[in-house]
Each structure stands twice: as structure tokens, then as C-alpha cells.
């Protein structure tokens, strides 16, 4: 009988996982710290061009309750911008996904049309603003520009996603006598969906980038970008910052919504990438 | 004598599968006149060295590759996955990661657009047979490799497939799991009578499983032996007859130096 050797203690202290509450508490603390530092700076600098959070809050209250210099409320501006983003972004997804699927499934189609697609892809949507101002007005102008900003990220990630379809999964369909449509619906789309969602989140970022630029430029009376320009011309920094923060907040919320959809849709994956 | 050359198979009925093909990729001759018949509900093992063109043969049998000469007939008609019901168990993991165990098992039936009630009934039945009861709600990443292969086997046997092709399904499993799965496949096959063609290069596996063993030569692949296995099941891998047959197959594949 061999004596059992003493087990050597090798397992390190397990790292205690943080609870959601703890994480939330740390986030609140970071936020408060940043705001405090900001406030402190503004007091030290004492400049009308470096307002502290207190002045941002009062500018926010003023814009939200009484509206801006042109009489439009902050919510009107925000809603108009959101609408433009949703329409343009929606169009980008409606066009980008099928285009990516088609060219991913028929790589020859992509290979022989690259000379048309690729140069377009590298024209920033902002470079389209002058033409958009000439050709369109109102919602179509913004929808067009945002579409240009959203369609390519969605298209490209869908295209790349199709290449990730496992040949064995396709073969499972083929040997069981599946039609091309069945394979598209039950093999290709489930495989590509995570890439589509990832592309949508990138596209959404570009969409926000574009909307503000387009609103800054265009001779139009509403939209968060417009509101910011109006106040910048009056040298009212707090109101400009309200616009900036609201844009950040709305973009963040939209991204969170997409993330929640991903979490729900992709329970079959190990983890959801950020 | 428990071993006999394949000579006295029932000749009254028409074979379920008739194979008579040659195949070449450009100048490379992969199969040279591969010819054999399979009868309904037979369990056939095909053995050959790597490079004997087993993937090509399976694709031909599945009707997804047209041989350069000859054809595969299933019930007298050329093999075609859109017309006949053929199922396939692959060597590599082939479950869909986005579907649960239950949905994966139902895939073959769903492609053949069976009615919902029929799918449910058949899936329930096969899940009991393969011992996946309780795991239906899991996703593939949550289960072991052996379980995944069990799902793929259930998917194949859930259909009313005329022919089930198995491509070295246990090659990536550890020995105990492999042995257990071999027994399970025999149980399922007995339970749901099906015609099975099982490709392996493990001779022990072939002798343990097959009603017949078809031995293929190295490239170009030819049938060098078609051996009926008469041992009753369950077979004992250390019995003298088992070892003798295994040795016989071994010598066919690697003729002993004289």
C-alpha cells in the first residue's frame, strides 16, 4: 500500500467576483469624482467659457422647460435628431444586410463590383454634405447622409460574417436535402447574425457622428446639432455642452438597447462581446 | 467457421443500395471500380487506409457528388438527397451551436418538412433511445463532445432515412466513450431498423459493429474484400474469433512481408 502523498496547496485565493451592486457603486463614485473635479476646475478658472456642472444643469433646465432662443424645446431638437438617425440607420440596415448576404454568398459578385463599392465606402458621409444640401431638404437630406454612414459598416460586417459559415453546417443541410433557402434561413443567417448586430452598433456610432455634422452644416432650424451651433454663435458654452451630453446619452442608450437584444438573441454563445 | 466470404446474402430481394462507381479528380484516380451492394437493414462497415477516398465515397453515396463513371442506386433510383431520405453523421462536430439539443435533433426532420406533431413525437422517441432526456434544453457549448456526437446520431436516426451514412463518428472520442457509443449505436440501429454504412479505419470497431466489412485498398480505392461477420452480438473483442477476423482484415490492409 502506497501512502497517499500530502496534496500540495496550489490553488490561489479565488478572486471574489464583484456583485452588480458593487460595480454600480464604483461607477457612481467615478462619476461623482469626475463631476467634482470638473466643478473644482471651473471655480478655479472662473471663466464663462469653462462652465461647471452647476451651470450645465441650469442651462439644461432652461432648455428643457422654456426652450431655446428660437422657441424650440430641447425635446423637439432631440426627437427630430433621433428620428433622422432612426430613418437613415433603418435604411442602412435594410440595404446593408441583404447586400452583404448576397455578396458574401456570391463572392464573385463582390469581386467584380469592388471597383464601384470600395471607393464609395471611403468617401466619409460628411463629404457628402454639400451634395446632400443641393439635392435634398428636410428629413430626406439627413436620412440620406446617415444612410451613407450606416450602410457600409453593416454591409462589411455581414459580408465578413458569411465567410464564417462552417462548411460542415452547410453540408448538414445539403445531405438532408435542404433547399438553398433553408440553408440561408437556418444556417447562414444564424451564423451571421452576431456580425450583423456588431455592424449595426458600429453603424449606429457613425450615424450619430454624421447627424451632428449634417445638422451643424445645414440651414435648418431643428436638431441637436443645429441647437448647438445656434448657442455657439451666442458664445453660450453651457447650452452647447447640454447638446453634447444629450447626444452622448442618447447614443449610449441606443447602444445599450442593441446590446440587450444581442444578449437575448445569442444565449447560445459563450459570451457577448462588447 | 464463423467467417465466410460474402457469397450467400439473400438474393430474392433487390439490394437497398447498389454501388458501382469510379471517380477521378483530374489525373488522380480516387476510386477504381468500387462495386458492392447493401441490403435493407444491414449494418455495413467500410474500412480502408487513409487516402482510400472515403470522403469521396461517402459524398457519392449521399448523392452530393457525381462519380465520373457509374452511379449509386438507392431502391433502384440514383442517389439524390432531395428525393431520397439520407442521413449523415459526420466525423467533426456538426451540431448547430445556436440551436438547443432538442432543436438540433429535430433538424433532419424539419428539413424534410414533417408536421410539427410528427416531429415532436419522433424527437421524443429518439431522445429517450439515445439517453438525451433531461439535456434537451442545453446548447451545444454546454455539453461534452460525446454528448454532441450523440445529438448528431439522434438527428440522423430521428428521420425515416433510407440510408444512414456514418463517417468515423467516434474518432475524436476517448476510448471508454467510444466503446459506450458503439454499443449505443447498435442498440439504436436494432431499435429503429435502418440501413447503415459506417466508415472507419479502426478494424476493431468494424469487427465489433458490422454485419459485413468491406475492405478498400489504398489509392486508387478498390474493394479488396467483402466479409460477412457471423458472430452473434454483443461481440466480445477478446474472443478468439473476434481476434482472428481482426487479424484477417489487418493482413488484407497490410499484407505481411514474406
Amino acid at each position: 500500500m502506497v501512502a497517499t502523498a500530502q496534496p500540495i496547496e496550489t490553488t490561489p485565493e479565488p478572486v471574489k467576483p464583484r456583485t452588480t451592486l458593487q460595480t454600480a457603486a464604483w461607477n457612481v463614485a467615478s462619476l461623482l469624482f469626475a463631476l467634482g473635479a470638473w466643478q473644482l476646475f471651473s471655480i478655479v478658472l472662473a471663466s464663462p467659457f469653462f462652465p461647471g456642472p452647476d451651470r450645465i444643469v441650469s442651462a439644461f433646465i432652461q432648455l428643457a422647460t422654456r426652450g431655446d432662443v428660437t422657441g424650440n424645446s430641447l425635446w423637439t431638437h432631440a426627437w427630430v435628431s433621433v428620428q433622422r438617425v432612426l430613418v437613415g440607420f433603418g435604411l442602412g440596415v435594410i440595404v446593408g444586410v441583404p447586400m452583404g448576404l448576397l455578396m458574401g454568398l456570391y463572392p464573385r459578385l463582390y469581386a467584380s463590383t469592388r471597383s464601384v463599392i470600395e471607393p464609395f465606402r471611403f468617401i466619409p458621409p460628411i463629404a457628402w454634405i454639400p451634395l446632400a444640401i443641393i439635392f435634398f431638404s428636410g428629413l430626406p437630406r439627413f436620412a440620406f447622409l446617415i444612410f451613407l454612414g450606416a450602410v457600409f459598416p453593416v454591409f462589411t460586417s455581414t459580408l465578413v460574417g458569411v465567410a464564417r459559415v462552417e462548411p460542415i453546417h452547410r453540408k448538414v443541410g445539403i445531405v438532408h436535402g435542404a433547399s438553398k433557402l433553408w440553408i440561408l434561413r437556418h444556417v447562414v443567417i444564424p451564423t451571421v447574425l452576431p456580425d450583423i448586430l456588431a455592424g449595426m452598433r458600429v453603424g449606429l456610432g457613425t450615424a450619430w457622428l454624421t447627424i451632428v455634422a449634417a445638422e451643424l452644416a445645414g440651414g435648418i432650424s431643428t436638431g441637436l446639432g443645429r441647437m448647438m451651433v445656434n448657442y455657439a454663435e451666442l458664445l453660450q458654452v453651457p447650452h452647447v455642452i447640454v447638446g453634447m451630453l444629450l447626444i452622448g446619452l442618447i447614443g449610449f442608450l441606443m447602444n445599450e438597447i442593441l446590446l440587450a437584444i444581442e444578449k437575448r438573441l445569442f444565449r447560445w454563445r459563450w459570451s457577448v462581446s462588447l | 467457421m464463423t467467417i465466410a466470404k460474402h457469397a450467400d446474402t439473400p438474393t430474392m430481394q433487390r439490394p437497398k443500395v447498389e454501388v458501382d462507381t469510379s471517380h477521378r479528380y483530374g489525373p488522380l484516380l480516387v476510386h477504381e471500380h468500387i462495386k458492392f451492394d447493401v441490403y435493407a437493414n444491414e449494418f455495413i462497415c467500410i474500412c480502408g487506409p487513409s487516402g482510400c477516398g472515403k470522403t469521396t465515397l461517402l459524398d457519392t453515396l449521399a448523392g452530393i457528388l457525381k462519380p465520373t463513371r457509374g452511379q449509386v442506386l438507392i431502391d433502384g433510383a440514383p442517389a439524390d438527397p432531395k428525393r431520397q431520405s439520407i442521413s449523415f453523421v459526420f466525423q467533426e462536430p456538426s451540431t448547430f451551436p445556436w440551436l438547443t439539443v432538442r432543436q438540433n435533433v429535430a433538424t433532419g426532420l424539419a428539413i424534410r418538412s414533417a408536421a410539427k406533431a410528427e416531429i415532436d413525437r419522433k424527437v421524443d422517441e429518439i431522445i429517450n433511445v439515445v439517453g438525451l432526456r433531461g439535456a434537451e434544453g442545453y446548447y451545444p457549448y454546454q455539453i461534452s463532445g460525446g454528448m454532441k456526437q450523440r445529438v448528431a446520431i439522434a438527428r440522423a436516426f430521428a428521420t425515416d432515412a433510407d440510408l444512414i451514412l456514418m463517417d468515423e463518428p467516434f474518432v475524436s472520442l476517448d476510448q471508454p466513450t467510444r466503446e459506450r457509443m458503439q454499443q449505443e449505436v447498435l442498440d439504436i440501429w436494432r431499435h429503429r431498423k435502418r440501413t447503415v454504412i459506417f466508415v472507419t479505419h479502426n478494424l476493431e470497431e468494424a469487427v465489433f459493429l458490422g454485419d459485413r466489412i468491406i475492405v478498400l485498398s489504398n489509392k486508387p480505392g478498390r474493394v479488396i474484400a467483402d466479409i460477412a461477420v457471423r458472430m452473434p452480438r454483443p461481440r466480445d473483442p477478446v474472443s478468439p474469433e473476434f481476434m482472428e477476423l481482426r487479424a484477417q482484415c489487418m493482413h488484407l490492409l497490410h499484407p505481411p512481408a514474406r
Side-chain angles (χ1 to χ4, degrees):
Chain A
M1 200 48 204
V2 182
T4 359
Q6 278 293 316
I8 304 160
E9 195 62 58
T10 50
T11 33
E13 271 301 294
V15 181
K16 262 196 199 152
R18 267 198 195 166
T19 62
T20 331
L21 198 69
Q22 275 173 313
T23 313
W26 278 108
N27 273 291
V28 169
S30 317
L31 193 63
L32 287 178
F33 178 79
L35 287 175
W38 181 6
Q39 185 71 59
L40 205 67
F41 260 112
S42 73
I43 291 168
V44 172
L45 285 170
S47 153
F49 302 116
F50 199 97
D54 56 332
R55 292 191 50 208
I56 309 294
V57 171
S58 49
F60 171 79
I61 293 169
Q62 190 211 325
L63 284 170
T65 54
R66 276 180 288 150
D68 67 356
V69 278
T70 60
N72 289 307
S73 117
L74 180 65
W75 308 120
T76 311
H77 288 300
W79 172 236
V80 164
S81 293
V82 168
Q83 236 178 333
R84 289 168 182 162
V85 166
L86 289 183
V87 172
F89 176 67
L91 281 174
V93 174
I94 289 171
V95 174
V97 171
M99 200 164 102
L101 285 177
L102 190 73
M103 303 216 162
L105 290 172
Y106 301 97
R108 271 196 193 167
L109 198 60
Y110 174 66
S112 43
T113 52
R114 279 196 63 177
S115 59
V116 180
I117 295 166
E118 292 299 307
F120 265 95
R121 191 153 83 83
F122 288 100
I123 301 173
I126 294 167
W128 284 90
I129 291 176
L131 279 189
I133 291 175
I134 297 172
F135 292 139
F136 306 104
S137 69
L139 183 64
R141 176 192 297 168
F142 297 101
F144 171 70
L145 288 168
I146 290 160
F147 164 78
L148 287 172
V151 71
F152 288 110
V154 174
F155 163 72
T156 316
S157 48
T158 309
L159 184 75
V160 171
V162 176
R164 259 194 267 278
V165 174
E166 297 270 358
I168 187 79
H169 291 154
R170 216 186 274 248
K171 207 169 166 186
V172 167
I174 294 170
V175 295
H176 287 93
S179 63
K180 280 202 161 153
L181 192 67
W182 192 95
I183 292 172
L184 178 69
R185 271 192 57 192
H186 295 93
V187 177
V188 178
I189 290 181
T191 308
V192 184
L193 215 48
D195 289 299
I196 293 179
L197 263 290
M200 279 170 70
R201 285 198 283 117
V202 176
L204 196 62
T206 325
W208 270 112
L209 197 102
T210 315
I211 182 69
V212 176
E215 287 174 346
L216 291 176
I220 210 128
S221 59
T222 49
L224 284 174
R226 188 70 250 160
M227 186 193 86
M228 286 157 64
V229 175
N230 288 344
Y231 278 100
E233 281 164 2
L234 299 171
L235 298 181
Q236 293 286 319
V237 177
H239 299 75
V240 177
I241 294 177
V242 168
M244 290 166 62
L245 290 179
L246 196 56
I247 285 166
L249 192 67
I250 295 171
F252 167 73
L253 286 178
M254 284 187 167
N255 192 57
E256 285 297 304
I257 291 170
L258 280 180
L259 275 178
I261 293 173
E262 279 187 19
K263 250 189 197 133
R264 171 123 194 87
L265 230 46
F266 307 138
R267 272 167 303 174
W268 54 272
R269 287 174 110 199
W270 273 101
S271 58
V272 175
S273 57
L274 278 172
Chain B
M1 185 66 185
T2 52
I3 303 158
K5 270 278 180 205
H6 177 58
D8 48 5
T9 3
T11 42
M12 331 275 282
Q13 54 181 137
R14 177 170 194 152
K16 182 84 184 166
V17 185
E18 295 158 81
V19 184
D20 184 2
T21 65
S22 299
H23 193 79
R24 55 169 71 243
Y25 290 110
L28 179 69
L29 186 61
V30 187
H31 293 151
E32 189 178 26
H33 203 72
I34 291 208
K35 185 169 162 42
F36 61 91
D37 292 340
V38 180
Y39 289 84
N41 302 336
E42 265 191 312
F43 198 121
I44 302 290
C45 285
I46 296 182
C47 265
S50 50
C52 68
K54 74 173 177 70
T55 308
T56 305
L57 181 59
L58 281 166
D59 286 355
T60 314
L61 287 166
I64 59 176
L65 178 79
K66 204 177 156 11
T68 39
R69 189 201 63 78
Q71 59 184 347
V72 173
L73 297 177
I74 298 176
D75 290 325
D80 178 354
K82 297 229 193 226
R83 281 151 196 253
Q84 287 125 346
S85 180
I86 300 164
S87 274
F88 212 121
V89 182
F90 298 93
Q91 178 181 331
E92 59 266 58
S94 62
T95 49
F96 294 150
W98 52 86
L99 298 183
T100 61
V101 164
R102 189 185 173 84
Q103 291 166 329
N104 263 298
V105 171
T107 304
L109 285 163
I111 293 173
R112 307 227 183 265
S113 60
K116 174 94 174 60
E118 192 196 340
I119 294 179
D120 280 344
R121 186 176 54 76
K122 288 185 171 164
V123 168
D124 273 330
E125 199 187 323
I126 199 76
I127 276 181
N128 280 330
V129 176
V130 298
L132 285 168
R133 177 67 64 219
E136 297 111 303
Y138 288 125
Y139 286 98
Y141 80 84
Q142 296 169 304
I143 60 178
S144 67
M147 287 269 267
K148 272 182 233 178
Q149 210 50 321
R150 203 170 276 158
V151 172
I153 290 165
R155 175 172 69 196
F157 278 87
T159 65
D160 296 313
D162 294 310
L163 178 61
I164 295 176
L165 302 168
M166 304 182 84
D167 179 7
E168 301 194 56
F170 307 139
V171 81
S172 57
L173 303 181
D174 56 85
Q175 188 63 21
T177 312
R178 169 190 275 251
E179 281 166 13
R180 204 171 62 238
M181 298 285 286
Q182 287 168 351
Q183 191 52 53
E184 280 178 17
V185 159
L186 285 178
D187 291 343
I188 302 164
W189 168 70
R190 210 177 351 243
H191 185 264
R192 321 204 51 169
K193 277 297 175 191
R194 292 283 189 280
T195 310
V196 176
I197 297 180
F198 189 110
V199 171
T200 176
H201 55 234
N202 181 328
L203 291 172
E204 190 167 305
E205 186 166 73
V207 177
F208 185 77
L209 294 173
D211 287 328
R212 269 163 59 204
I213 301 170
I214 292 173
V215 183
L216 296 185
S217 68
N218 208 340
K219 212 161 268 158
R222 281 173 291 106
V223 177
I224 49 178
D226 186 340
I227 303 163
V229 186
R230 294 295 165 69
M231 276 177 277
R233 295 188 178 95
R235 294 174 185 157
D236 176 7
V238 290
S239 70
E241 305 138 280
F242 193 104
M243 309 248 274
E244 190 193 326
L245 182 52
R246 189 174 177 279
Q248 186 191 341
C249 293
M250 175 86 95
H251 290 158
L252 284 165
L253 283 174
H254 313 282
R258 278 166 200 266

